[in-house]
Amino acid sequence: MQRVTAQLVAGLLAAVLSLLAEQCLADGGAPSLAERVIWAVNAGGEAHVDVHGIHFKKDPLEGKVGKASDYGVRLPILRSSPEDQILYQTERYNEDTFGYDIPIREEGDYILVMKYAEVYFAQSQQKVFDVRLNGHVVVKDLDIFDRVGHSTAHDEIVPFSIRRGKLSVQGEVSTFNGKLTVEFVKGYYDNPKVCALYVMKGTLDDVPKLQPHPGLEKPEEEEEEEEDSEGGDDSGKKKVPAGSKYRVQSGPRTPNPYAADNSSLMFPILVAFGVFIPTLFCLCRL
């Protein structure tokens, strides 16, 4: 009897341990963010490991294409953690279109993350360029200063997928031969550039977010008012016409010139005629 009881207890313990082991594998078996990153480069800079454990390698274009710049090192970069500001302080730019080739061997959903900060120009329309992904324009007329201002971190995030030899991005499809080409396209305003970039497996929800930008975040009260104003006739509030949400009047309302009473202007005119006619009559008598 004791032997049977011992066997039952041993069997129960083994079952419990097996369940615990399976639970641990389920909880910790998913790859971490750093493990899902298949390629990462600190453009124009040295190797760096960020706060998420992503290993950014030294720029492979060093001495080959474009120019590396660390002009931004003297500036603090807003929206970025102190440990990772170096990713936005260095950059690679070129006087013509340039880019990086990224090998991808497996099918699946991917995210391209490109890091930027404007550390030189102090107004918009000074540096504007496009970004292409295997010939597809995925970012059009990127003006970093216009987006976030000076010395402020900005990430451009582009999801894409690879399945059955096809690349799908932003509704467009093309043949994929195992190489992802990210190009920064020369435009009319200065030179294209990039500070850092990486490719990871996953979805948009998996990408780490930058710190909030005080100048770009709308107050909650303002958002609620906008939602109420768009509620339609049932809400009992006036609907705001499209395109006029942020319209500001340039000055006070101009009075209607046709609404003024002109009767007061007739009296001086009648007096002038009354003086002019006798004077003319007297001159004719002379």
Side-chain angles (χ1 to χ4, degrees):
M1 185 67 180
Q2 293 180 351
R3 183 179 299 178
V4 173
T5 303
Q7 290 177 350
L8 289 174
V9 171
L12 289 173
L13 287 174
V16 171
L17 291 174
S18 178
L19 290 173
L20 290 174
E22 290 179 1
Q23 185 65 34
C24 290
L25 288 174
D27 294 340
S32 65
L33 174 64
E35 292 172 336
R36 280 180 284 176
V37 173
I38 65 171
W39 188 93
V41 159
N42 181 21
E46 299 295 325
H48 175 76
V49 180
D50 73 357
V51 295
H52 306 287
I54 299 175
H55 291 254
F56 290 83
K57 62 183 179 180
K58 182 179 179 179
D59 195 341
L61 296 184
E62 182 62 35
K64 299 177 182 178
V65 178
K67 299 178 182 178
S69 172
D70 61 354
Y71 185 84
V73 171
R74 69 194 72 185
L75 298 171
I77 305 298
L78 302 177
R79 301 184 72 193
S80 176
S81 62
E83 298 85 354
D84 292 338
Q85 290 192 14
I86 190 63
L87 293 174
Y88 300 92
Q89 291 169 328
T90 63
E91 64 185 51
R92 178 164 298 279
Y93 68 92
N94 193 30
E95 295 177 356
D96 200 355
T97 299
F98 76 103
Y100 295 85
D101 292 331
I102 305 167
I104 299 181
R105 306 303 180 194
E106 298 180 2
E107 294 186 348
D109 296 322
Y110 291 88
I111 303 290
L112 168 65
V113 179
M114 297 168 285
K115 296 182 176 293
Y116 296 98
E118 182 54 70
V119 296
Y120 186 77
F121 293 111
Q123 60 183 17
S124 60
Q125 294 294 306
Q126 298 298 302
K127 181 186 290 293
V128 184
F129 58 94
D130 296 345
V131 179
R132 286 197 302 243
L133 195 64
N134 281 33
H136 304 279
V137 177
V138 293
V139 180
K140 183 69 175 176
D141 295 331
L142 176 59
D143 188 333
I144 305 165
F145 185 91
D146 185 63
R147 297 284 183 91
V148 295
H150 190 264
S151 62
T152 303
H154 172 65
D155 287 359
E156 285 287 337
I157 303 171
V158 180
F160 65 95
S161 64
I162 298 172
R163 287 184 175 84
R164 298 181 180 180
K166 299 291 184 180
L167 167 69
S168 300
V169 57
Q170 296 183 356
E172 299 180 1
V173 181
S174 62
T175 302
F176 185 73
N177 59 3
K179 182 177 66 175
L180 189 74
T181 300
V182 183
E183 294 180 291
F184 307 95
V185 184
K186 170 74 174 180
Y188 292 107
Y189 300 100
D190 201 65
N191 304 312
K193 77 168 192 177
V194 66
C195 295
L197 66 161
Y198 66 87
V199 174
M200 63 173 287
K201 271 193 167 184
T203 63
L204 289 172
D205 294 334
D206 301 322
V207 180
K209 302 299 187 294
L210 291 172
Q211 298 175 10
H213 191 306
L216 298 180
E217 297 295 326
K218 290 183 180 180
E220 294 183 359
E221 295 180 359
E222 181 180 344
E223 292 181 353
E224 291 177 358
E225 290 178 359
E226 291 177 2
E227 291 177 359
D228 292 341
S229 65
E230 296 173 356
D233 297 335
D234 295 338
S235 64
K237 293 189 178 182
K238 188 176 180 181
K239 195 170 184 178
V240 180
S244 64
K245 185 182 295 184
Y246 300 106
R247 186 177 298 165
V248 179
Q249 297 292 340
S250 59
R253 183 187 296 272
T254 303
N256 184 358
Y258 301 101
D261 184 7
N262 295 326
S263 59
S264 59
L265 298 177
M266 295 301 297
F267 182 74
I269 295 174
L270 293 175
V271 172
F273 270 105
V275 175
F276 175 75
I277 292 175
T279 303
L280 181 63
F281 179 77
C282 293
L283 290 175
C284 291
R285 293 294 298 269
L286 294 176

